[in-house]
Amino acid sequence: MYIDVLIQTIHWTGFIDHDGDDNNDVFSGFSNCPPTKLTPDQDSKPYVKAMSTGPLRLLVEMTKYKFGGALFKAMKESEFYHLFLQRLLRLVGREGINTNDGSKLGPMARKILLKVLPGIKLEKRLDTVKAKDLLEQTSRDSPCQFLGADVSATTLNE
């Protein structure tokens, strides 16, 4: 249960103030979003700070320790694990197109992905073309092609 909550904090994050922007169109993607779906991407400073000092920081720190592997193994048992991977992949893609959240959270997402998906080649930032392709393949409206039973580590590197 605690693992699910940690994962949901990352993939099902509620709308965090877009620097005082009262744009209701931005908020509409968050209302009535079930926990079995990915919430829209966010790039506000408060969101980036919350993620970079909270759940993503915790997971990056866990990559440094032997017992971190036990946490990542337990996370794989969650029914939301595929959404967790999808969010991390989206952050990597957004890093490649230079969004605020991607620039700050993408490197953290890459560190985590390198630990949870051994063999994936994400040591460095993706170029813009690969990043856009990754974002298209991990969109909220389509099933993520990378997240089947056999996650291909080479697909991103072709």
Side-chain angles (χ1 to χ4, degrees):
M1 179 175 135
Y2 295 111
I3 298 286
D4 288 340
V5 172
L6 175 61
I7 290 174
Q8 286 180 329
T9 302
I10 295 167
H11 92 269
W12 193 51
T13 309
F15 181 67
I16 297 178
D17 184 31
H18 196 285
D19 302 328
D21 186 4
D22 291 330
N23 185 347
N24 287 332
D25 292 336
V26 173
F27 182 72
S28 66
F30 293 88
S31 61
N32 299 321
C33 181
T36 55
K37 298 279 187 184
L38 201 65
T39 53
D41 297 324
Q42 301 185 59
D43 68 351
S44 69
K45 289 179 184 175
Y47 170 78
V48 170
K49 184 173 183 177
M51 291 294 113
S52 67
T53 59
L56 292 180
R57 171 58 51 208
L58 171 68
L59 293 176
V60 166
E61 292 302 317
M62 293 302 290
T63 67
K64 300 175 184 177
Y65 301 100
K66 288 181 184 178
F67 60 84
L71 172 64
F72 296 124
K73 186 173 182 177
M75 289 175 77
K76 289 180 181 181
E77 301 301 316
S78 171
E79 68 182 287
F80 305 110
Y81 184 69
H82 67 286
L83 294 165
F84 163 70
L85 292 178
Q86 189 172 356
R87 173 66 73 208
L88 294 179
L89 289 167
R90 288 198 59 76
L91 288 170
V92 169
R94 290 173 64 78
E95 176 189 21
I97 62 169
N98 208 29
T99 62
N100 185 48
D101 60 326
S103 296
K104 305 279 189 316
L105 304 176
M108 297 176 87
R110 285 190 288 109
K111 282 184 180 178
I112 297 164
L113 285 166
L114 287 167
K115 185 70 171 186
V116 299
L117 298 176
I120 197 166
K121 304 269 192 269
L122 286 175
E123 290 83 7
K124 58 184 178 178
R125 178 187 187 122
L126 295 179
D127 66 45
T128 304
V129 173
K130 288 181 183 175
K132 286 181 180 179
D133 185 47
L134 178 60
L135 288 170
E136 184 177 311
Q137 292 181 48
T138 59
S139 76
R140 293 179 61 227
D141 300 324
S142 65
C144 183
Q145 297 175 10
F146 294 115
L147 305 179
D150 179 30
V151 177
S152 172
T154 59
T155 309
L156 289 173
N157 307 309
E158 296 173 347

